[in-house]
Amino acid sequence: MSEPTSDPLAAVLDTLIPASEDGAMPGAGAIGLAAIVREKSETMADLVERGLEAADTHARERGAPSFAGLSLADRTAVLRELETSEPGFVPGLVFQTFAAYYQHPRVLEALGLEPRPPHPKGYELEAGDLGGLERVRARGRLYREA
Amino acid sequence: MPDPPVDVLIVGAGAAGAALAWSLAETRMRIVCLEQGGWMDPASYPSTRPDWELGGFGAFGLSPNGRGRREDYPINDGESPIKVSNFNAVGGSTILYAAHFPRLHPSDFRVRSLDGIADDWPIDYATLAPYYDLNAAQMGVAGLAGDPAYPPKQPTLPPVPLGRLGETLARGFDALDWHWWPSDSAIATREHAGRAPCINLGPCITGCAQGAKGSTDVTYWPAAVRAGVEVRTHCRVREITVGESGLADGVIYYDEEGREQRQRAEIVIIACNGIGTPRLLLNSASSRFPDGLANRSGLVGRNLMFHPYAMVTGFFPERLGGYKGPMGCSLICQEFYETDASRGFLRGYSFEMLRGMGPVSTALQGMSAGRIPWGPEHHEAYEAMWDRTAGMVVICEDLPEEHNRVTLDPDLTDADGIPAPKITYRLSENSEKMLAHAVARGTEVLEAAGAKETQSVAPLPPAGWHLMGTARMGTDPERSVVNEWGRSHDVKNLFIVDGSLFVTSGGVNPTNTIQALALYVADRIKQNLSNLFE
């Protein structure tokens, strides 16, 4: 079951990126991305609403009160069906969900990253081993005189 | 009374216009540069924001057709497999370039003599060498002396760090006994001329918030402005006008409010890149020049050269730290640069290593490549790709062909109503064979470096960064647009100083050569001031 939420979109996001089995990576809906994804999907708002209604319809056909009431396996199956019956709904949400998820501080920390933009702190970078260049030098001139 | 003419009017404040303005400033002539963009604010660059990886989808995207900035002009590139990438601002496309900064080879200036194809340049490597050196000092070029792929040269700054990713890739080249060398990069690896040192932010191609990358808004322009050059921003030139004498006498442009303005000048210098320059010349047609200004050869807009690019990516079992460091600058391989006819094509290419991707880019590119699905398998697939990719771009030499060209689109215009350029371009058979060879060799070296899987894209559609050949230099007015120092054969006070001048393209990024040419042309102007129009 998806976590309870007031936005039915959260259950869809938790299906697109569910929590990992070991719990290290959260579900996309559980970390509150629904509002962000809605905002970023503003140009396809009608498509999103139609897709959500279709998801609930499929859920009722499976005996659940709503899409959020389905198991993860059933929610996945429903979204697979909607990929065909509601063109654009799933791919559009996938793009926005992936983009929002991998900016979220909790996700970045789970990946071993500091949750910050690159600037102003930057990163340390190893100089690297240039020892192989002796071999390159030893081969001699590579360019043509002209 | 109209305003008096300025001595020198430069159109375009990018790589070439900046270098030229800086060099000419010592003459104390009155110099004005008209630029259709504005000054950039590094604090606005995407790397300062949490959504930094999405910068390339919006106002900092590569294509002027998708950015939605008024400063840009649209380009009809529907008839080209390679799409134009540029930027319009003080600094031009150096705002977004990766700052990979190699020189051409000596052989690149003698293609006809050495390989029997295309044409020789009217100048040679030795002529440009002192200007490459001067440019390295002004732009702040990091690198390592001793590269056997080049005549001796001395970078100004220590090389960009390889990092774990660069070391991993170098292992592949070593295993195959191929050439590799730390990249020449216009990146301040330590404090240089008031620029802060690089702190390995990563996304150089959406602007450098640190100011370490050598974009000309932080290199040449501050010095040129201090020396008295005026940069007039948000001014879009419609046409160059010609007086009764047959000399250029100024330009008509639109200012920031869209008002038509006129600026008279004694010398007009165009620095608008390989697309913008022929566009301006063709838009400057008149009864005296019905086919476009300075186009009695008929070659304005022809011989358009991109560098056909391929991208080869390897998937490695270990994490590489590839999200750190200048994304386009670590090491270069020129094993296949010089002609070897046994390969089935003439001329050659460079491999330039790429860093890896950030977390969002990994997800989105993995999604579009079908490697990272949504659903229960998502995390496992993501983990297999995150920070485990490394690869390279291939930069193939493009040969000049007159059918590859820039014309004016009959319908498309910019925000000021000025006709926009149209690109007509197709890959040659030589380029197709070169790309196939490069992808095979690139795959080979990634596997030698330890990649478990590879994937490739060839040609790479959005890689029209390098815009060359459309107003070529030469000594024969029938076969070239400008002479051997950038002066129009047809209009004696009109000069061109950008990638349009290139006779052939070489197989490396052109910015260093574009700027060396601009410095060379500036010196010729200074040396010939007393009889410049003869």
Side-chain angles (χ1 to χ4, degrees), chain B residues 320 334 440:
Chain B
L320 299 169
Q334 296 194 320

Side-chain angles (χ1 to χ4, degrees), chain B residues 12 20 32 65 126 130 159 206 221 231 233 322 358 372 383 402 417 426 474:
Chain B
L20 177 113
V32 168
N65 296 331
T206 52
W221 276 122
V231 182
T233 58
I372 299 182
E383 176 65 16
E402 288 192 13
R426 64 174 184 265

Side-chain angles (χ1 to χ4, degrees), chain B residues 131-455:
Chain B
Y131 299 100
Y132 278 130
D133 292 342
L134 177 59
N135 198 43
Q138 296 305 311
M139 292 290 282
V141 174
L144 187 68
D147 184 353
Y150 281 96
K153 55 186 168 66
Q154 184 62 52
T156 309
L157 298 162
V160 170
L162 291 183
R164 203 179 329 138
L165 179 146
E167 261 189 2
T168 301
L169 295 175
R171 281 205 307 264
F173 291 105
D174 288 339
L176 297 172
D177 195 22
W178 289 356
H179 169 267
W180 68 273
W181 204 260
S183 300
D184 277 1
S185 311
I187 292 174
T189 46
R190 62 182 180 219
E191 196 170 327
H192 177 77
R195 285 155 56 198
C198 176
I199 51 173
N200 304 305
L201 300 178
C204 307
I205 66 166
T206 52
C208 179
Q210 176 75 350
K213 187 180 77 171
S215 51
T216 60
D217 60 326
V218 299
T219 58
Y220 281 110
W221 276 122
V225 169
R226 281 197 301 274
V229 177
E230 178 190 352
V231 182
R232 223 174 276 170
T233 58
H234 300 287
C235 295
R236 179 141 45 207
V237 176
R238 186 183 77 195
E239 64 180 285
I240 298 165
T241 54
V242 176
E244 288 300 312
S245 63
L247 296 177
D249 62 4
V251 303
I252 297 170
Y253 69 95
Y254 296 102
D255 66 16
E256 189 166 8
E257 282 75 43
R259 294 175 300 215
E260 185 177 311
Q261 303 281 2
R262 171 146 175 76
Q263 176 61 59
R264 294 188 297 144
E266 302 291 348
I267 300 172
V268 176
I269 301 176
I270 314 174
C272 301
N273 79 44
I275 304 295
T277 288
R279 177 200 185 203
L280 177 55
L281 291 171
L282 295 173
N283 271 323
S284 302
S286 63
S287 57
R288 192 189 293 262
F289 295 99
D291 298 321
L293 186 60
N295 193 24
R296 289 189 175 135
S297 67
L299 292 175
V300 169
R302 292 192 181 272
N303 296 302
L304 171 66
M305 295 175 284
F306 295 115
H307 284 125
Y309 266 66
M311 182 183 285
V312 191
T313 304
F315 299 86
F316 289 78
E318 71 272 25
R319 286 187 62 170
L320 299 169
Y323 58 91
K324 300 181 285 189
M327 62 178 300
C329 296
S330 58
L331 61 93
I332 188 170
C333 166
Q334 296 194 320
E335 182 72 22
F336 306 101
Y337 194 91
E338 302 286 354
T339 293
D340 178 348
S342 70
R343 295 178 193 141
F345 56 87
L346 295 174
R347 310 298 298 161
Y349 59 86
S350 301
F351 287 125
E352 294 179 356
M353 301 309 113
L354 298 174
R355 309 271 176 184
M357 294 178 281
V360 173
S361 306
T362 300
L364 297 180
Q365 292 202 20
M367 174 191 73
S368 61
R371 303 184 73 92
I372 299 182
W374 63 267
E377 299 82 22
H378 175 82
H379 292 295
E380 186 178 352
Y382 187 88
E383 176 65 16
M385 189 167 166
W386 159 239
D387 201 24
R388 290 174 171 82
T389 62
M392 61 189 69
V393 287
V394 176
I395 304 182
C396 291
E397 173 157 353
D398 203 359
L399 292 170
E401 298 178 288
E402 288 192 13
H403 59 256
N404 290 333
R405 62 186 301 202
V406 179
T407 54
L408 296 178
D409 191 278
D411 305 311
L412 196 63
T413 63
D414 63 27
D416 289 307
I418 305 171
K422 176 183 178 183
I423 309 303
T424 307
Y425 177 92
R426 64 174 184 265
L427 286 171
S428 69
E429 186 180 344
N430 197 65
S431 291
E432 298 271 17
K433 287 178 178 175
M434 201 184 305
L435 281 166
H437 185 275
V439 167
R441 298 290 81 74
T443 303
E444 197 177 340
V445 74
L446 288 174
E447 290 173 351
K452 299 304 180 193
E453 275 185 81
T454 62
Q455 68 181 30

